[in-house]
Amino acid sequence: MKPLEESDVGITSYISQLPGFRGILKQRYADFIVNEVDIDGNVVHLTSLDAPPESVENNETKLSNQSNKGYASEIELFRSLAGDSDAECLKGLIDQVVSGIEDGVSPIVLSPNSDKAHRTAMHNFFKENLKFLVTDTIDGPDASSKSIRVRLNSGGNHNNGRNSRKRKERGGKPFDSRGSDNWSEHVGKFLRFHLYKENKDTQEAIGLIAKMLGVQPRSFGFAGTKDKRAVSTQRYVYHEQKVTVFKQHANRLAALNERLIGMKVGDFCHVREGLVLGQLLGNRFTITLRGVVADSEETIKASAEALGRLGFINYFGLQRFGSGSVPTHLIGAALLRGEWEIAVSLILDPREGDILLLLTNL
């Protein structure tokens, strides 16, 4: 199928009387740079990767105090429960913790296990023997198995489980697993930062960072989404969820910069409220066109001047008609006409290059 052109979808004329010119858009990631404009009109730029000095009074129990305690007996007990491979993974995690490397300690994922009773026994092992670690269950490599993830309990009281504190012990307040009991009232619970990313859409970037931190992607809030085929700088915030994101500080995110590929985070500060979709004025675009074809250089200059003087109608372009082998406007037209079989065929029928079509022709 030939590439889609403007005339195929009814785009037949320019706004101005100028002849216009053609060029290649988004040939490289850096050809399309998007900077978010926040609600105050500030263009977001990543300027610093360093975490600011922590001024928060930290009354939490420091895990470094555990460094004098050996965990050989606990590891051997776990070995009898989970096997050599998982025991060695656990030993490596504990070694990092007791050496004082509290920030940047990555979670470990134990071997897949389809036995729910055995997984329950392993969860209980950590609750009873290694209270400074917490566990949860995540999907395994196949539908029939699950895996246990083990991570550092960054909350203040490592000896208390979720249900160990009764309501009267909490002063009548409902249970809140979002943050540390010792979080200062003078510091905002949300950590705001700027995210720089290349060739990743917003959800993919958030998913990667969340996985490295060992938290849920929904812990993040953002004002707008950004395309994959672009370089963008965007402002994000942690928002209220039941994961332990509020117990983390800027230095933990800053430590990720050494491991992030095509992404950087920085310009950290604590704020009272999290961002939500739509909480921005817009975006600033820096666009590079390559392979420009025009009848003269004067035409290009005149077109650029007209764009700057008159602006443009932000209506639609070819990007609104899909990027697959069947343009989505044809499917939409069939649906509007009630031609259900045609619409289904446009979506499901094998097309040139499909593996099913290739196998059929063999």
Side-chain angles (χ1 to χ4, degrees):
M1 180 176 291
K2 70 181 184 64
L4 195 65
E5 297 182 354
E6 282 85 351
S7 59
D8 297 329
V9 295
I11 303 175
T12 58
S13 61
Y14 294 99
I15 297 173
S16 72
Q17 299 302 314
L18 295 168
F21 59 91
R22 304 183 69 86
I24 301 174
L25 178 65
K26 294 187 181 181
Q27 186 179 44
R28 304 175 184 175
Y29 305 138
D31 289 351
F32 199 83
I33 301 175
V34 185
N35 295 87
E36 195 170 87
V37 182
D38 67 21
I39 201 70
D40 297 318
N42 301 310
V43 180
V44 175
H45 292 282
L46 180 59
T47 60
S48 174
L49 303 181
D50 299 325
E54 291 288 352
S55 59
V56 182
E57 290 186 10
N58 189 356
N59 297 321
E60 298 179 358
T61 303
K62 292 297 183 180
L63 290 178
S64 58
N65 293 336
Q66 301 273 353
S67 59
N68 294 326
K69 172 177 171 56
Y71 291 95
S73 59
E74 286 84 352
I75 292 173
E76 289 307 309
L77 183 61
F78 183 72
R79 190 186 304 275
S80 64
L81 179 66
D84 292 338
S85 177
D86 286 342
E88 291 303 313
C89 289
L90 177 62
K91 182 178 182 300
L93 176 64
I94 293 177
D95 287 345
Q96 291 185 68
V97 173
V98 299
S99 66
I101 309 176
E102 183 174 349
D103 293 318
V105 176
S106 299
I108 62 172
V109 177
L110 304 179
S111 301
N113 189 342
S114 58
D115 187 340
K116 184 176 181 180
H118 187 244
R119 294 198 307 269
T120 300
M122 294 176 70
H123 284 300
N124 289 335
F125 169 85
F126 285 95
K127 292 177 182 178
E128 296 169 3
N129 299 281
L130 300 171
K131 293 184 175 65
F132 61 92
L133 299 175
V134 293
T135 61
D136 61 353
T137 301
I138 61 176
D139 290 335
D142 54 69
S144 64
S145 67
K146 300 286 186 180
S147 296
I148 292 178
R149 177 171 55 185
V150 186
R151 64 184 186 275
L152 177 64
N153 181 3
S154 54
N157 194 338
H158 303 298
N159 294 319
N160 286 344
R162 173 181 173 88
N163 299 316
S164 61
R165 294 187 63 197
K166 304 300 182 183
R167 178 178 288 270
K168 63 181 181 180
E169 295 173 342
R170 301 192 300 264
K173 297 180 180 180
F175 182 80
D176 185 357
S177 61
R178 295 175 300 171
S180 169
D181 292 336
N182 297 315
W183 191 272
S184 172
E185 294 181 357
H186 305 292
V187 178
K189 288 187 177 181
F190 296 90
L191 178 67
R192 187 176 70 196
F193 61 97
H194 293 174
L195 168 66
Y196 172 89
K197 60 186 177 63
E198 300 177 5
N199 193 31
K200 291 179 177 62
D201 60 35
T202 299
Q203 298 298 339
E204 180 184 3
I206 287 294
L208 289 171
I209 294 174
K211 184 176 182 180
M212 295 172 76
L213 291 175
V215 301
Q216 297 280 355
R218 61 189 178 193
S219 306
F220 295 81
F222 47 87
T225 57
K226 298 292 176 285
D227 293 333
K228 179 175 182 178
R229 189 73 174 178
V231 173
S232 61
T233 306
Q234 202 168 358
R235 176 174 288 174
Y236 290 87
V237 193
Y238 286 110
H239 71 87
E240 295 179 80
Q241 287 290 333
K242 62 181 180 182
V243 296
T244 59
V245 61
F246 299 105
K247 302 170 186 176
Q248 300 167 17
H249 298 289
N251 54 3
R252 186 149 190 243
L253 273 85
L256 300 181
N257 282 316
E258 296 181 356
R259 298 155 53 199
L260 290 171
I261 299 175
M263 294 189 293
K264 294 295 179 184
V265 293
D267 300 332
F268 305 99
C269 68
H270 290 283
V271 295
R272 299 291 181 184
E273 301 292 336
L275 284 175
V276 295
L277 280 174
Q279 206 170 31
L280 76 168
L281 290 184
N283 299 294
R284 172 171 289 183
F285 297 87
T286 304
I287 300 171
T288 301
L289 293 177
R290 301 182 185 274
V292 174
V293 177
D295 55 13
S296 67
E297 186 174 341
E298 286 68 26
T299 296
I300 299 175
K301 291 181 179 179
S303 298
E305 290 173 0
L307 179 63
R309 186 176 67 257
L310 303 175
F312 61 95
I313 298 176
N314 187 14
Y315 190 31
F316 63 87
L318 292 180
Q319 78 275 13
R320 303 302 180 195
F321 295 90
S323 58
S325 57
V326 175
T328 53
H329 69 287
L330 297 181
I331 301 172
L335 292 173
L336 288 173
R337 292 192 297 265
E339 298 171 344
W340 315 119
E341 291 186 7
I342 293 176
V344 171
S345 294
L346 285 170
I347 296 171
L348 299 180
D349 281 355
R351 290 180 280 275
E352 184 177 354
D354 283 359
I355 185 64
L356 291 177
L357 184 61
L358 294 175
L359 293 174
T360 301
N361 295 331
L362 289 179

